[in-house]
Amino acid sequence: VLAVVLGVMFVSGAFVLTDTIGRSFESLFTTAYSTVDVQVVTAPRPGQDSQDMVLADPVPASLVERIRAVPGVARATGTVLLDGARPLSPSTGKPLGNQFGTPAFGGNWAGEDSLVRLRAGRGPEAAGEVVINAGLAATGNLDVGDRLTVRIITSNVPCTIVGIMEYSGGRGSLAGETTVLFTTGQAQQLMLGRPDVFSEIDVTAAPGEPARVVRDRLRAALGADYQVKTGAELAKQQSNAIKDALRFVNYILLGFAGVAVFVGVFLILNTFSIIVAQRIRELALMRAIGASRNQVLLAVLTEAVVIGLLASTVGLAAGIGLGAGLAYLLGTALGGLAPVGLGVPVAAVVGSFGVGLLVTIVAALLPALRAARIPPIAALQEAAIPDRPLTPIALGGGAVTAA
């Protein structure tokens, strides 16, 4: 049972972990794009990754007025938001934030909305003034009025914190990122290298106008030079990218499962061989009172099925606990990624019972066939089957161990 539990635990744990984290990121990106009905960015150049917003050409500020003139558009806001503004600790000079590759965003302060609001202070009004997210403030022990140095590429930009912002629900960060927001003019110069450009333009549809309809109108008005997507499409795109990146965790845990299952096959085979050897007289007596070989075979395999079902159930429960624990640790490492509930996909249940039953039955098949071949006369013998010399087995096992 323990051998099967270990293998099944890693199988179910892998699926539970990736499903739980995937759902958490899906909720995260849905929240992040909740204020965006449609987003406009420059179309990627030939050979450029459509996901690479750092290298994408900026959008001219004049495009904002063109977008506002499209029917169904209630508001168009130019936004600067790029990874690459790493805040430095005032005391040590080292980068602030966790070291798990989470972004260090730099951008422009565009005011409060349903996603972002000020927890303290005000928005930046002059060059050198910044608003930071509450997660960064907590990590660096920073407050309104403190000085902060932000490293952008190779330049260190001195700033004064004039505001601390939070996300909806009182969250200090969405997934452990650090965010430093300048005035629009300074953000354009620092993050994009020139004035009067934005990294993207966020569009709010007029009341009653579906986002897809506004998206299609914008695509027709702007042409092929720009990429136009709804907020829902962007959230799904980012979520799928994260889920693809999480596959390596699946591979690692399934690798452990493979090793556990491989070892488990031999443990189960040996266990059933010992059990059959200990019950030779009992099985022979069953044959003597009329049990057929198939009935004996079925009896031993039924025991294997019962063990497989029991072990798979325990292994599934242990895997759910393993997946939940790893999801919590990973979420904590990413800066407190908010879980949206434990995910137990159908694949975890099917995989757990499939692996548990298959491994147990396959491993028990050879001992079961041996049990079926026990003759009825063995019930009358003290030792039904003489011991075989272990020399060939020992030599073979030794060779495998040495290899």
Side-chain angles (χ1 to χ4, degrees):
V1 168
L2 182 60
V4 179
V5 165
L6 290 175
V8 170
M9 179 181 69
F10 285 117
V11 171
S12 59
F15 288 112
V16 169
L17 170 63
T18 52
D19 189 76
T20 300
I21 291 294
R23 289 169 51 177
S24 297
F25 271 106
E26 190 172 342
S27 174
L28 166 70
F29 289 118
T30 300
T31 300
Y33 287 102
S34 61
T35 59
V36 178
D37 290 326
V38 181
Q39 189 177 87
V40 179
V41 298
T42 304
R45 297 184 298 273
Q48 182 180 349
D49 185 356
S50 62
Q51 306 291 329
D52 192 352
M53 302 306 299
V54 176
L55 299 179
D57 294 328
V59 179
S62 59
L63 191 68
V64 174
E65 294 302 323
R66 286 181 57 190
I67 291 175
R68 287 173 180 166
V70 174
V73 173
R75 186 177 65 179
T77 305
T79 301
V80 178
L81 189 68
L82 293 174
D83 188 3
R86 180 66 66 184
L88 304 180
S89 170
S91 57
T92 65
K94 295 182 179 180
L96 291 171
N98 70 59
Q99 304 302 311
F100 289 89
T102 51
F105 287 121
N108 67 318
W109 172 254
E112 296 180 289
D113 53 31
S114 60
L115 175 64
V116 173
R117 73 176 185 86
L118 284 170
R119 179 181 290 185
R122 58 173 175 82
E125 298 173 353
E129 296 182 343
V130 296
V131 169
I132 65 173
N133 65 316
L136 169 58
T139 300
N141 194 25
L142 301 169
D143 205 346
V144 174
D146 290 347
R147 299 287 293 172
L148 177 67
T149 299
V150 181
R151 179 173 295 164
I152 301 176
I153 307 178
T154 58
S155 301
N156 289 344
V157 181
C159 306
T160 300
I161 301 171
V162 298
I164 297 176
M165 63 90 169
E166 65 181 15
Y167 299 99
S168 61
R171 287 177 288 184
S173 72
L174 291 178
E177 87 292 344
T178 62
T179 302
V180 180
L181 302 178
F182 306 85
T183 62
T184 297
Q186 189 174 20
Q188 291 170 332
Q189 197 65 49
L190 292 174
M191 304 304 300
L192 298 173
R194 60 182 189 268
D196 299 324
V197 289
F198 296 106
S199 56
E200 65 212 32
I201 298 176
D202 296 331
V203 178
T204 302
E209 291 283 357
R212 291 184 178 182
V213 174
V214 176
R215 176 201 62 188
D216 295 341
R217 291 173 184 168
L218 286 170
R219 284 177 177 174
L222 301 179
D225 292 336
Y226 298 97
Q227 186 171 271
V228 185
K229 293 184 179 180
T230 65
E233 290 173 334
L234 291 168
K236 184 174 181 61
Q237 175 180 295
Q238 297 292 337
S239 175
N240 288 341
I242 291 293
K243 289 178 181 179
D244 289 340
L246 285 172
R247 286 182 180 175
F248 82 96
V249 180
N250 245 352
Y251 298 149
I252 292 174
L253 291 179
L254 291 176
F256 280 117
V259 173
V261 167
F262 180 74
V263 174
V265 167
F266 294 99
L267 293 177
I268 298 166
L269 190 151
N270 287 335
T271 301
F272 270 97
S273 295
I274 293 170
I275 291 173
V276 169
Q278 291 174 334
R279 293 166 55 190
I280 285 179
R281 297 187 67 183
E282 174 188 336
L283 295 174
L285 182 60
M286 292 176 61
R287 292 294 314 281
I289 62 175
S292 66
R293 287 187 174 184
N294 288 339
Q295 286 176 318
V296 173
L297 176 67
L298 182 61
V300 176
L301 289 181
T302 299
E303 294 179 21
V305 170
V306 171
I307 292 175
L309 286 173
L310 174 63
S312 298
T313 303
V314 176
L316 174 61
I320 292 174
L322 174 67
L326 291 176
Y328 173 78
L329 293 176
L330 185 56
T332 302
L334 292 174
L337 177 65
V340 294
L342 187 64
V344 184
V346 175
V349 179
V350 173
S352 296
F353 283 96
V355 168
L357 286 172
L358 181 64
V359 167
T360 311
I361 293 174
V362 168
L365 185 59
L366 185 58
L369 290 173
R370 290 176 182 167
R373 290 198 294 266
I374 294 174
I377 194 64
L380 304 178
Q381 299 177 353
E382 186 66 27
I385 300 177
D387 291 338
R388 293 185 300 170
L390 297 178
T391 304
I393 297 177
L395 293 176
V400 171
T401 302

